[in-house]
Amino acid sequence: MAPGLTTDAPTMTPGTTAVPTMTPGHSTDAPTMAPGHSTTDAPTMTPGHGPADHTEAPDGHNITDGAHSTPEEHTSDHQSDHQGPHGECTCPLTENATAQNLEIACNYDSEYHTCVMVEVCEHVHGHSDPPYAIFFIFFSFVLGACVRYFFSAPPLNMIPYTILLFIIGVIIGIVARTLGSGVEKYIAIADIDPHLIMFIFLPILIFESAFSLDWHIFRKVLVYCLVLAGPGILLATGLTALLVRVLFTTGGVGVYDWSWVTCILYGAIVSATDPVAVVALLKELGAPASIASLIEGESLLNDGTAIVLFNILKASVVGGVYTMTAAETLKEFVWVAAGGPLVGLVVGIISEWCLSKVFNDALIEITITVCAAYMTFFIAEGFLHVSGVLALVTMGVWISHHRQAISPEVEHTLHEFWEMTVYLTNTLIFVLVGVIASSSRFDSISITDVGYVFVSYLIINVARLVLLGVTYKPLVTFATWTLGRKEAVLVWWGGLRGAVGLALTLLVAYDQEIKCVHPDLGTQFLFHVVGLVALTLVVNGITAQFVVKYFQLAKIPVSQKRLLESCFNTMLEKQHDKIRELKLSHVLSDANWQVVNRYTYEGVVNPYLPSASDDEEDALSPEEEARMAYFKIIKSSMWEQYEHGFISKATIPRVLKFIDRAKAVPGLLIKPEVLNKYWNESFVASKVGGLSLTLPVCGSTLSSFATKWKEHRWAAGFDVANCLIRAHEEVLHKIDLIVPDCKAANMIKSHCKSLRAGCFAHVQDLSKERVQISVAIQTRHAARTVLNEAREAIHKMQKQGKIDEGDAPKLTETIEKKMNKLMKASSHMSATDLEAVIQDEVKWMKNVEFACAQEFKVKGRTESYRKRDKIMDRDSLKSGFIIILSGVVRVKLNNGKDCYFGTGDCVGLSTILCKTPFLTEVLAETDMKAHKYSVDMIVPWMEKYPLLEKQLWKAAAVEAAYCIMSRRDAYADWKQLELMKYCESGVLLSSDKGVLSEEDKASMLHAGMHHILVKGHVMVGNEKVEGAQVLKRVNGKVTLGDGAKILSIDDVKSKGGKARARWAKIRSKIELASKDKHRGQTTAAERMAHCFGGSFAVEIYESPRGRNSMTSAFISSPTLPLRQASNGDPDAFSEPLLNDVWKEMQPMD
């Protein structure tokens, strides 16, 4: 609560409610509370106005003078003076209440010698009125929705939304007052306590305005905001007070009996622009971002300054003389003006810390911001009596600047919440302002007062014009950002007044001390401010859009218009292509395409076509256009990386600083040298180290601090470097789509490649020196990428209907718990060792004997390599293979292509086992470590451990198959991981061990599969085929030679391959149904018929093991010989509904 404003009242008897209203002619020490608001606090005295003061009231009653009578005597006098013939109270309070149909009692407070009106509680009579105020609130929301709906189309949309609400509020007030008390009770909220307007509405509106400010734009205009809201508001207040004193008061040529203090108070109220009105106006007009930030920032700050002046001056209005000394005034001003931002800063830091500890919980994070807004204002105004507005502005800007503390997934929801809250608040407040303006009782207002309102309107505009004129040149001279003259006109004309000024005026109008001494002052203030609010909203608000259009302040730059025109044409092209595609659809074959055209692209006008008003001289050069596009992509990529968890919260302001600094210098781009500050020994650390020599006592502590500080800087450098690398890779992919000029785009791409190489070099150099920090950062990035992929998979499955809406949050919660835990992971991690890689990363190692795995851990040797070092060549590949412990290697294949392998991968098995040089060279793509094993170790191990032999042959076959398949045109566009997984899905067939036994050497190979011969030879009829190759399709029998190895992989593009994929799904259902065989007496055939809606059968080739045995084997391994029994076409293999085999099947074991 503002200083000097109290809600105290005498203690009342049970069953009554004190209405702290003064009786004219009695003590001025009454509580300064608006009528109709109860309280239980004892009254507080205003300094300088105690019971001993003696003043003559306007109506002739003597104000209590303690020197002339005792309290008892005065009580007796009061009771005799105010009692009627039946003992009822006849003081003016009772008479006024009777006129307003209020059921009251009048009690005399003997301690404070004043008559206090006591409203009898309604519950005594057993009834209560409906909550008309709640009805009015939601009725206002309905009106707001109707206005947005019916006034959204031109030309009605020329009138700003807030002005329409104000006009509707005026109409409601007039209608309600005309129809009388039956309707007037529905707008009783117009008598709202001004403190409620400040304490309920201002925290929402001011915090949202400050929070929505772009810090990097606001920082440019901050000097203007501080000057206009500091010295500027003082200048405007003084000039307004001077003109009002001369034109309105008896001290000049007017009729008002206003003192100098009153004139200055009036000037402070009407000089401050209202952020509520200004923000709503700017969002609708689409003013430039810099101008919008300037007007919004100045409005926020000068409201705080105006309230500070109001609180200082209001107490002196009663006496008409300013009683505080210059030192007291300065002390009070500094305390209120400086204490507010300090409170806001403290609460902002605490709120930021709380937000940083919460992960992806929208409810908690929204609650924190709401509580922070209200607590800031309450603590500042109610407890410390400092500026709550300035505290809110500081707190809001601080959280906006550190918005990375908000979870990326919650930030959008948080903004939507505040946007909705502010929309509802603005809707209510402008309807309420209109109702107050029209329903206030201005019975004592004359035509002179009406004329003074229009003069006041001219005065405040002249004062604001003088304010800008005086401060414009110094600001333009010394500020880094320049305010143009056209923009200055909008800043001047956009100074609307609104709810803040009205709330301050209501505080004056409802102040009983002021009302006793100056009974007409509150009404005059209220009439003037209501009139100014109406005039500025209607005149300035409606015409501001014409100011923007006349000076072309919302004009799209030519360069941006070209880009937007290109985007518009792309949109039309996509529509045309989609229509052509849909015309071929069987489902939409009867659509009326002429109507489709009419409802899609016909008649759509390109809003970005070049116009005659476009000034080509103002257009940016192609290089500058490319530079601006470069910065946009960098910033967009940075936020995307943060949302996906690739960079920390602290990285964002660092990268934004680099962007701002480079953007401010024409022709400059981000350079890799910006990272030097993170790598080099810092000045601070060196100073701390020197200080530790001069202060031996705390030397160890300072040295430890310096070490931690340097490690923190190194970690920050890693994050920034990785962010820049990813961002510049994004630029390389997108710049050609955005920049039409090839030369300018190539310039940007050349710079991106150079910076990316420089950042890589920085990261690699530091990785050698700070291994643990490097490992920790890369580990966090890898883990977060995996978790992001898992979360995206959950969202995708939910959209596909695979996961119910109730189950998806449970899975997402599991992932987000991992994410939260990852955020708290240590910044120092050890590099992966051999034992951990063999145990966890080598996939086939999990399927070998335990003793074999132990031998792999203790045998061989580990070697380190620098980037671009040669690890193995053709000759050395014949002598052994490697397991990669860390880093990335590039492998050159015998087909001329390259592939890459990472931690846990084995390289070289295909050469030593298949005896074919599939690989030609292995190079270190990064600094890396590898563990080497020789052929002399592998051969004995394969003989000793049967499981190892099987796993090594499968790994070698996959490596060979990848090399062979990558040469085929059908798989040329496949990514390495996709093709590698495809090869791993194959089944290894061996002529001596494995799936096929000796009795099955002569068999029919499956059609619709790739059969890759990786070792040995096969006989196709009478033809001998040998050497690593893909066997051609054969329809006869194939004989495998001794020791031959074939990797059979489904051809996913053939009918047979697709059929096998379908049969894999059927097999899973068969296995699921067979699990219940003991629960009933049905056969497997009956269970299958129940599962699939029919009977299934396949023709199985005869074998010595019997028909049922082969059927069971097929269920577990679909690679056995199989063809369709219906027509004998293997490629047309589908899902025949035959009964023969299944009817004979016994329940499966």
Side-chain angles (χ1 to χ4, degrees):
M1 186 169 296
L5 304 175
T6 64
T7 58
D8 306 319
T11 304
M12 307 310 302
T13 58
T16 61
T17 302
V19 182
T21 305
M22 281 288 304
T23 304
H26 292 274
S27 173
T28 62
D29 305 302
T32 56
M33 186 77 179
H37 295 275
S38 64
T39 179
T40 58
D41 300 328
T44 59
M45 309 307 296
T46 304
H49 299 278
D53 298 331
H54 180 78
T55 309
E56 187 72 20
D59 60 356
H61 290 275
N62 289 333
I63 296 178
T64 305
D65 189 340
H68 292 78
S69 61
T70 64
E72 293 77 6
E73 294 172 347
H74 193 85
T75 302
S76 176
D77 294 340
H78 170 81
Q79 292 172 345
S80 61
D81 291 341
H82 294 82
Q83 284 184 352
H86 301 288
E88 71 278 8
C89 182
T90 59
C91 74
L93 291 181
T94 307
E95 295 174 358
N96 293 337
T98 303
Q100 299 178 33
N101 296 322
L102 295 177
E103 188 172 359
I104 62 96
C106 184
N107 290 350
Y108 179 73
D109 192 306
S110 60
E111 180 178 359
Y112 294 100
H113 320 301
T114 182
C115 193
V116 181
M117 184 170 66
V118 181
E119 185 175 355
V120 179
C121 291
E122 293 175 345
H123 67 80
V124 175
H125 302 280
H127 70 276
S128 61
D129 291 332
Y132 297 113
I134 296 178
F135 175 82
F136 177 85
I137 291 172
F138 287 96
F139 181 70
S140 299
F141 295 159
V142 173
L143 285 176
C146 294
V147 167
R148 288 185 66 89
Y149 181 80
F150 291 108
F151 289 82
S152 58
L156 296 177
N157 60 353
M158 294 179 61
I159 306 175
Y161 168 75
T162 51
I163 296 173
L164 288 171
L165 292 178
F166 174 79
I167 295 173
I168 292 174
V170 171
I171 296 173
I172 291 174
I174 293 174
V175 170
R177 189 174 183 184
T178 302
L179 296 178
S181 60
V183 179
E184 199 170 7
K185 61 187 177 183
Y186 287 95
I187 62 169
I189 195 174
D191 296 326
I192 185 173
D193 184 353
H195 294 93
L196 293 180
I197 295 179
M198 296 182 65
F199 278 78
I200 294 178
F201 297 142
L202 285 190
I204 295 175
L205 300 170
I206 293 178
F207 171 77
E208 194 277 337
S209 296
F211 180 63
S212 63
L213 285 173
D214 187 333
W215 165 252
H216 300 279
I217 297 177
F218 179 64
R219 185 175 58 181
K220 297 178 182 178
V221 301
L222 182 58
V223 175
Y224 284 83
C225 295
L226 292 175
V227 172
L228 294 177
I233 196 68
L234 296 177
L235 176 62
T237 299
L239 182 59
T240 303
L242 176 62
L243 294 176
V244 167
R245 176 70 176 177
V246 172
L247 298 177
F248 293 175
T249 69
T250 54
V253 296
V255 297
Y256 288 168
D257 185 19
W258 290 4
S259 64
W260 269 108
V261 176
T262 304
C263 294
I264 297 174
L265 181 68
Y266 177 81
I269 293 175
V270 302
S271 294
T273 56
D274 180 21
V276 177
V278 176
V279 171
L281 174 67
L282 294 178
K283 287 183 178 179
E284 295 176 11
L285 291 181
S290 55
I291 305 302
S293 294
L294 173 57
I295 297 178
E296 187 174 352
E298 183 227 346
S299 300
L300 290 169
L301 294 175
N302 68 20
D303 269 342
T305 307
I307 294 177
V308 171
L309 293 175
F310 176 87
N311 292 334
I312 293 176
L313 295 169
K314 178 176 169 289
S316 301
V317 170
V318 175
V321 178
Y322 188 69
T323 57
M324 296 179 65
T325 64
E328 292 174 338
T329 302
L330 180 62
K331 179 181 178 182
E332 180 70 12
F333 185 85
V334 171
W335 166 250
V336 177
L342 184 60
V343 172
L345 181 62
V346 172
V347 178
I349 293 174
I350 295 174
S351 302
E352 179 204 348
W353 180 83
C354 294
L355 289 170
S356 65
K357 298 301 179 183
V358 181
F359 183 75
N360 277 4
D361 195 324
L363 297 179
I364 294 180
E365 295 184 46
I366 291 173
T367 301
I368 289 173
T369 57
V370 172
C371 293
Y374 278 99
M375 292 301 294
T376 299
F377 195 76
F378 289 166
I379 291 172
E381 288 283 350
F383 297 104
L384 301 179
H385 303 301
V386 295
S387 175
V389 173
L390 296 179
L392 275 173
V393 172
T394 305
M395 192 270 292
V397 171
W398 179 269
I399 295 182
S400 174
H401 181 43
H402 298 84
R403 66 178 60 208
Q404 65 270 10
I406 302 170
S407 301
E409 292 81 358
V410 174
E411 186 171 0
H412 179 69
T413 305
L414 181 66
H415 279 285
E416 285 189 335
F417 166 81
W418 280 104
E419 185 178 352
M420 182 65 183
T421 305
V422 169
Y423 160 72
L424 295 176
T425 304
N426 271 327
T427 300
L428 177 59
I429 212 167
F430 278 97
V431 174
L432 184 60
V433 168
V435 170
I436 292 175
S438 59
S439 62
S440 299
R441 293 171 174 81
F442 301 121
D443 300 330
S444 60
I445 298 301
S446 63
I447 191 64
T448 303
D449 298 292
V450 177
Y452 282 171
V453 170
F454 286 96
V455 175
S456 294
Y457 175 73
L458 296 177
I459 288 175
I460 62 174
N461 282 287
V462 169
R464 186 164 177 81
L465 181 62
V466 173
L467 159 65
L468 288 170
V470 171
T471 59
Y472 180 78
K473 190 170 183 179
L475 286 173
V476 171
T477 303
F478 297 104
T480 55
W481 177 77
T482 302
L483 176 67
R485 295 184 182 275
K486 296 178 180 179
E487 290 82 359
V489 174
L490 179 61
V491 173
W492 163 62
W493 195 245
L496 278 64
R497 274 67 174 174
V500 174
L502 184 63
L504 296 178
T505 306
L506 291 174
L507 291 175
V508 175
Y510 289 160
D511 188 283
Q512 299 305 317
E513 292 185 74
I514 296 176
K515 182 179 290 186
C516 285
V517 180
H518 306 289
D520 296 329
L521 182 62
T523 303
Q524 292 167 349
F525 266 44
L526 187 59
F527 181 76
H528 275 257
V529 174
V530 166
L532 292 177
V533 169
L535 287 173
T536 54
L537 284 176
V538 175
V539 179
N540 296 52
I542 294 179
T543 58
Q545 55 188 318
F546 300 109
V547 174
V548 174
K549 293 178 182 179
Y550 179 78
F551 290 110
Q552 298 182 346
L553 297 178
K555 180 180 177 181
I556 302 175
V558 177
S559 56
Q560 186 178 358
K561 185 176 288 189
R562 291 172 185 161
L563 174 60
L564 294 174
E565 183 181 4
S566 174
C567 296
F568 179 82
N569 294 332
T570 302
M571 178 193 71
L572 292 182
E573 183 181 354
K574 292 291 184 182
Q575 286 184 323
H576 286 292
D577 293 344
K578 194 64 179 179
I579 289 175
R580 292 183 62 182
E581 178 186 341
L582 294 177
K583 284 181 179 179
L584 304 178
S585 172
H586 298 287
V587 180
L588 305 176
S589 58
D590 295 331
N592 189 328
W593 296 106
Q594 288 75 25
V595 176
V596 172
N597 296 340
R598 188 164 65 248
Y599 279 105
T600 53
Y601 64 85
E602 285 185 0
V604 178
V605 180
N606 185 356
Y608 307 114
L609 287 174
S611 59
S613 60
D614 290 340
D615 189 355
E616 291 293 337
E617 295 182 357
D618 295 337
L620 299 175
S621 64
E623 291 77 13
E624 193 64 17
E625 287 184 29
R627 198 172 76 95
M628 293 298 104
Y630 162 83
F631 287 121
K632 287 182 180 179
I633 299 174
I634 293 291
K635 185 178 290 188
S636 173
S637 175
M638 178 202 66
W639 284 111
E640 185 177 357
Q641 291 180 53
Y642 171 63
E643 290 175 0
H644 287 84
F646 295 144
I647 59 176
S648 64
K649 298 177 179 179
T651 303
I652 294 177
R654 298 185 180 110
V655 177
L656 289 175
K657 185 183 295 183
F658 295 153
I659 293 175
D660 291 341
R661 289 179 178 177
K663 198 173 181 180
V665 181
L668 182 63
L669 301 172
I670 299 176
K671 296 182 178 180
E673 287 75 15
V674 297
L675 298 173
N676 289 337
K677 60 182 291 187
Y678 296 107
W679 312 138
N680 298 333
E681 292 292 331
S682 68
F683 173 79
V684 175
S686 62
K687 288 295 182 182
V688 172
L691 191 61
S692 64
L693 298 177
T694 57
L695 298 176
V697 177
C698 57
S700 59
T701 302
L702 292 173
S703 178
S704 175
F705 169 78
T707 301
K708 291 181 180 179
W709 196 90
K710 286 188 290 184
E711 290 178 350
H712 171 75
R713 299 289 291 176
W714 286 324
F718 265 108
D719 246 9
V720 172
N722 286 319
C723 176
L724 292 178
I725 289 171
R726 290 191 182 89
H728 284 78
E729 288 175 350
E730 195 80 9
V731 175
L732 288 172
H733 287 95
K734 293 182 177 179
I735 195 67
D736 287 324
L737 302 175
I738 299 177
V739 178
D741 189 89
C742 295
K743 183 179 179 181
N746 290 334
M747 177 197 71
I748 296 295
K749 289 194 287 186
S750 176
H751 168 78
C752 290
K753 294 176 182 178
S754 174
L755 183 135
R756 186 177 58 176
C759 289
F760 269 128
H762 278 297
V763 171
Q764 290 294 324
D765 291 341
L766 190 62
S767 297
K768 303 167 191 174
E769 301 176 10
R770 304 295 168 186
V771 177
Q772 291 185 335
I773 296 177
S774 175
V775 169
I777 292 175
Q778 295 180 45
T779 300
R780 287 199 300 268
H781 287 179
R784 184 58 190 256
T785 304
V786 173
L787 292 173
N788 287 338
E789 188 69 21
R791 186 170 56 181
E792 290 298 324
I794 294 171
H795 294 164
K796 186 176 180 179
M797 288 187 290
Q798 183 180 3
K799 292 179 180 178
Q800 294 173 344
K802 296 180 179 179
I803 303 178
D804 295 335
E805 293 183 359
D807 296 329
K810 298 177 182 178
L811 296 177
T812 304
E813 183 181 1
T814 303
I815 298 299
E816 291 184 348
K817 285 181 179 179
K818 290 285 188 179
M819 290 181 174
N820 191 21
K821 188 175 181 180
L822 179 64
M823 291 175 60
K824 303 172 183 177
S826 173
S827 59
H828 291 68
M829 296 183 186
S830 301
T832 308
D833 57 9
L834 173 64
E835 184 175 354
V837 171
I838 290 178
Q839 182 175 339
D840 299 327
E841 304 300 330
V842 181
K843 291 180 290 186
W844 51 263
M845 194 68 71
K846 299 178 181 179
N847 299 320
V848 303
E849 294 85 347
F850 178 78
C852 177
Q854 293 302 114
E855 290 205 46
F856 269 92
K857 294 178 183 179
V858 298
K859 300 292 179 65
R861 69 182 186 276
T862 300
E863 296 183 1
S864 299
Y865 299 92
R866 300 291 297 275
K867 184 179 180 180
R868 298 187 182 88
D869 284 352
K870 182 182 292 187
I871 302 173
M872 305 175 79
D873 55 15
R874 281 182 180 270
D875 295 332
S876 58
L877 280 166
K878 299 176 183 178
S879 61
F881 74 100
I882 62 171
I883 295 178
I884 303 173
L885 301 182
S886 65
V888 179
V889 301
R890 177 163 58 95
V891 177
K892 291 186 177 182
L893 308 179
N894 59 3
N895 58 13
K897 294 187 177 182
D898 293 343
C899 61
Y900 298 86
F901 296 93
T903 303
D905 290 331
C906 299
V907 179
L909 279 173
S910 61
T911 302
I912 63 175
L913 294 182
C914 302
K915 306 300 182 181
T916 303
F918 293 106
L919 315 182
T920 60
E921 195 174 40
V922 181
L923 303 174
E925 186 68 11
T926 65
D927 292 349
M928 53 87 63
K929 289 183 179 182
H931 199 76
K932 284 189 175 183
Y933 299 93
S934 65
V935 177
D936 298 336
M937 299 178 186
I938 297 301
V939 174
W941 288 350
M942 293 176 67
E943 295 176 353
K944 183 179 179 181
Y945 304 108
L947 293 179
L948 174 63
E949 181 185 14
K950 181 179 179 180
Q951 296 298 327
L952 289 183
W953 268 114
K954 177 64 182 292
V958 169
E959 188 175 275
Y962 175 83
C963 183
I964 295 171
M965 298 298 290
S966 62
R967 291 188 297 220
R968 301 174 69 90
D969 295 336
Y971 302 95
D973 58 342
W974 284 33
K975 294 181 179 180
Q976 176 182 327
L977 179 60
E978 185 180 9
L979 183 55
M980 188 66 72
K981 288 178 64 178
Y982 177 60
C983 294
E984 290 172 351
S985 67
V987 176
L988 183 65
L989 304 178
S990 177
S991 61
D992 51 356
K993 295 180 180 179
V995 177
L996 294 181
S997 61
E998 290 292 333
E999 59 190 21
D1000 294 322
K1001 284 184 180 180
S1003 59
M1004 171 81 74
L1005 292 179
H1006 294 264
M1009 297 187 74
H1010 292 300
H1011 303 288
I1012 305 170
L1013 179 62
V1014 295
K1015 184 185 178 183
H1017 71 277
V1018 297
M1019 296 297 296
V1020 180
N1022 296 324
E1023 181 183 359
K1024 182 179 180 180
V1025 179
E1026 59 184 345
Q1029 59 181 297
V1030 179
L1031 299 180
K1032 297 179 180 179
R1033 174 176 295 182
V1034 290
N1035 292 322
K1037 293 190 176 182
V1038 177
T1039 302
L1040 278 67
D1042 291 336
K1045 305 288 183 181
I1046 294 179
L1047 186 68
S1048 295
I1049 313 172
D1050 276 330
D1051 183 0
V1052 294
K1053 298 183 180 180
S1054 70
K1055 293 181 180 179
K1058 294 177 181 178
R1060 264 178 288 276
R1062 291 195 297 271
W1063 267 108
K1065 296 180 181 179
I1066 294 174
R1067 182 185 64 194
S1068 64
K1069 293 185 178 181
I1070 292 174
E1071 293 173 348
L1072 181 63
S1074 66
K1075 292 179 180 179
D1076 298 330
K1077 67 176 183 177
H1078 298 297
R1079 299 180 183 178
Q1081 300 301 320
T1082 58
T1083 64
E1086 293 172 339
R1087 290 195 296 272
M1088 293 306 99
H1090 176 73
C1091 288
F1092 301 112
S1095 299
F1096 283 74
V1098 292
E1099 179 182 357
I1100 304 298
Y1101 284 90
E1102 294 288 350
S1103 75
R1105 287 175 290 179
R1107 194 181 189 94
N1108 289 342
S1109 176
M1110 289 297 293
T1111 303
S1112 300
F1114 163 71
I1115 292 175
S1116 61
S1117 178
T1119 58
L1120 290 178
L1122 177 70
R1123 66 181 175 87
Q1124 183 177 2
S1126 57
N1127 57 18
D1129 181 5
D1131 279 347
F1133 171 76
S1134 58
E1135 299 166 4
L1137 301 178
L1138 304 176
N1139 301 318
D1140 298 341
V1141 175
W1142 294 120
K1143 288 181 179 179
E1144 300 177 7
M1145 282 180 60
Q1146 299 299 320
M1148 289 177 293
D1149 297 328

